[in-house]
Amino acid sequence: QQQVKQSPQSLIVQKGGISIINCAYENTAFDYFPWYQQFPGKGPALLIAIRPDVSEKKEGRFTISFNKSAKQFSLHIMDSQPGDSATYFCAASIAGNTPLVFGKGTRLSVIA
Amino acid sequence: NAGVTQTPKFRVLKTGQSMTLLCAQDMNHEYMYWYRQDPGMGLRLIHYSVGEGTTAKGEVPDGYNVSRLKKQNFLLGLESAAPSQTSVYFCASSSLDRRGALHFGNGTRLTVT
């Protein structure tokens, strides 16, 4: 049973464009939703995270949008750059209670 | 500041052989995790530990054992390796107050022939 469903599997975006990656979850007890970024040959690194008491969180060019009623959250990368090319994972957990459950990942390629 | 260090970086095993993957963290984190990453499957939790001397099963624990005898170390053992265990293994750690902020090592690429 996949608790966090991520789409698309891969994404190609022009430099300067907007990259959008979506995740959906089933467990309404989840209350912490991070995104991780992974470059080839490296471990994932925390990029940005949100809790369900807010609908949006922005850090620089990266924004998480959260829709509690639809049980969906998404990552938006504004003004995408070739250096953003990486694999992105969404995740969810019940804070203080369970380990993170990860989506299957999205491979983003930003082309000039 | 080393963060999370995994050894070895690469390993090739024959079916039936055993090995131990080592993970060390220098951030005094309480929680430690072992994940495996396979193409199209994302990161799947094998085992985790919420403190020294404690371990718990994750999503895919079969064929693996773990030990956490010291707070800074988390060992993953394969008693009898199988080709299905060919994967990239990641260790991670997190603190008590920021449990969802995982710090990952750079992985161990294991091939079982």
Side-chain angles (χ1 to χ4, degrees), chain A residues 51-84:
Chain A
R51 295 191 184 276
D53 53 344
V54 296
S55 60
E56 185 175 282
K57 183 174 181 179
K58 184 176 180 178
E59 289 184 4
R61 296 184 294 109
F62 300 90
T63 299
I64 299 180
S65 297
F66 184 80
N67 186 329
K68 188 174 182 178
S69 61
K71 292 186 287 185
Q72 294 177 348
F73 58 109
S74 60
L75 176 69
H76 297 236
I77 307 174
M78 312 299 288
D79 187 26
S80 298
Q81 298 297 314
D84 297 329

Side-chain angles (χ1 to χ4, degrees), chain A:
Chain A
Q1 180 185 2
Q2 187 182 358
Q3 297 193 57
V4 180
K5 294 185 178 181
Q6 184 172 346
S7 62
Q9 279 190 319
S10 63
L11 182 62
I12 300 174
V13 174
Q14 290 282 124
K15 178 182 176 181
I18 302 173
S19 303
I20 301 174
I21 305 171
N22 301 299
C23 280
Y25 63 97
E26 290 295 325
N27 189 344
T28 55
F30 284 147
D31 61 359
Y32 178 74
F33 303 92
W35 285 89
Y36 281 76
Q37 180 187 55
Q38 182 183 31
F39 293 107
K42 300 294 185 182
L46 179 64
L47 184 62
I48 187 172
I50 197 169
R51 295 191 184 276
D53 53 344
V54 296
S55 60
E56 185 175 282
K57 183 174 181 179
K58 184 176 180 178
E59 289 184 4
R61 296 184 294 109
F62 300 90
T63 299
I64 299 180
S65 297
F66 184 80
N67 186 329
K68 188 174 182 178
S69 61
K71 292 186 287 185
Q72 294 177 348
F73 58 109
S74 60
L75 176 69
H76 297 236
I77 307 174
M78 312 299 288
D79 187 26
S80 298
Q81 298 297 314
D84 297 329
S85 297
T87 299
Y88 293 82
F89 294 96
C90 63
S93 73
I94 304 170
N97 189 23
T98 62
L100 286 175
V101 176
F102 285 87
K104 292 187 176 182
T106 297
R107 179 172 289 184
L108 171 65
S109 297
V110 180
I111 56 176

